[in-house]
Amino acid sequence: MATLQEQTLVIIPARLASARLPGKPLADIGGQPMVVRVARQATLAGVGRVAVATDSREIAAAVEAAGFEAVMTREDHQSGSDRVFEAAQIMDPEGRADIILNVQGDIPAIEPETIRRSVLPLASSPADLATLAVEIADEADRTNPNIVKIVGSPLGDGLLRALYFTRATAPYGDGPLYHHIGLYAWRRQALARFVALAPSTLEKRESLEQLRALEDGMRIDVAIVDSVPLGVDTPADLERARRILAADQAPSSRNGQ
């Protein structure tokens, strides 16, 4: 039987167009393009073959110059999920890989362990896809519509079964709220089914693509992790990422070293 690593493709969708931060995947962070940093972290996770899916020759060249795999995809994709599915078909036309992990290309400080956690629910449940969540600690985040919340039923051992995703404050009453982290580990058949669907009613209302899967009856399991990886959407986010990664890489000053 194939191992989980042999069954998994890790695909990072990346495009140059960005309303708030043009050229985002190639933004320099400590001497490396951001998308290359994500590819490096995904490779360190050791969960499967890693590639960047892009419609940009410039991005592909930067990725390949750093020693990683790039896959050229069409320019007309409406979402990262569509691009990831096309890349999976190119990388593995025989369909040997059963799990397709979509890792966003704008989370340069993500820990390899966080990437590994996004795949693990599929090893022990019949879920169609899996994703991640962090318990919300900041009171302001509970009412922030930019923080997507997961309403889920506990499965035990740091797992939930997702019932709904929303920008509202939910569920009502005492108890934890969970911040959704947008990594998706898909079973290949579920991703093929998903990209063939039209955008759904609740997806359009909440502007949340994952609701299309729930509305179609797919099961989404959620692994709870300890921290939210910094996403880079604005110039301010980029500067913060540069500071965080520079601090992480600075040599220790203890004992004169």
Side-chain angles (χ1 to χ4, degrees):
M1 180 180 293
T3 65
L4 187 63
Q5 185 173 15
E6 292 168 333
Q7 294 179 62
T8 304
L9 298 177
V10 183
I11 303 177
I12 304 163
R15 61 191 184 97
L16 286 176
S18 172
R20 290 185 287 180
L21 191 60
K24 179 167 67 170
L26 297 178
D28 183 272
I29 299 178
Q32 292 182 330
M34 177 161 54
V35 71
V36 169
R37 283 191 169 272
V38 177
R40 192 176 307 280
Q41 297 301 91
T43 300
L44 290 172
V47 296
R49 178 181 169 189
V50 176
V52 173
T54 185
D55 58 7
S56 164
R57 294 285 179 188
E58 191 176 356
I59 290 175
V63 168
E64 290 170 347
F68 298 101
E69 182 178 0
V71 178
M72 293 301 301
T73 55
R74 301 198 319 266
E75 296 180 359
D76 60 346
H77 287 305
Q78 297 300 305
S79 72
S81 298
D82 296 318
R83 192 177 307 282
V84 164
F85 182 67
E86 184 194 356
Q89 299 298 88
I90 294 169
M91 295 167 68
D92 179 36
E94 297 85 11
R96 293 185 179 132
D98 178 57
I99 297 173
I100 313 298
L101 176 55
N102 178 347
V103 177
Q104 302 304 313
D106 58 3
I107 44 176
I110 190 167
E111 294 291 340
E113 177 59 26
T114 301
I115 296 173
R116 284 192 287 271
R117 286 284 295 154
S118 66
V119 178
L120 291 179
L122 296 186
S124 58
S125 89
D128 296 291
L129 64 148
T131 189
L132 298 172
V134 172
E135 185 174 343
I136 294 175
D138 187 334
E139 188 63 30
D141 287 347
R142 297 170 71 89
T143 55
N144 183 347
N146 294 316
I147 302 295
V148 177
K149 292 85 177 176
I150 297 178
V151 179
S153 180
L155 296 174
D157 298 325
L159 294 172
L160 303 172
R161 178 173 177 176
L163 303 176
Y164 193 63
F165 295 79
T166 182
R167 298 181 183 279
T169 301
Y172 179 78
D174 294 335
L177 298 185
Y178 292 100
H179 178 170
H180 178 229
I181 301 172
L183 276 74
Y184 298 96
W186 291 88
R187 296 202 191 276
R188 192 182 190 125
Q189 291 183 340
L191 180 57
R193 175 176 150 194
F194 177 84
V195 298
L197 296 169
S200 67
T201 300
L202 291 171
E203 172 188 1
K204 291 186 285 188
R205 183 166 177 172
E206 293 256 20
S207 297
L208 297 175
E209 188 181 55
Q210 59 272 36
L211 290 174
R212 189 190 318 174
L214 284 182
E215 286 187 82
D216 194 58
M218 296 187 200
R219 173 170 168 171
I220 305 177
D221 281 5
V222 183
I224 301 170
V225 295
D226 294 330
S227 61
V228 179
L230 172 64
V232 176
D233 291 314
T234 67
D237 293 337
L238 179 58
E239 289 307 312
R240 185 179 172 201
R242 286 169 172 161
R243 290 194 302 271
I244 289 171
L245 288 166
D248 288 346
Q249 294 170 2
S252 173
S253 60
R254 290 181 300 171
N255 299 323
Q257 296 180 350

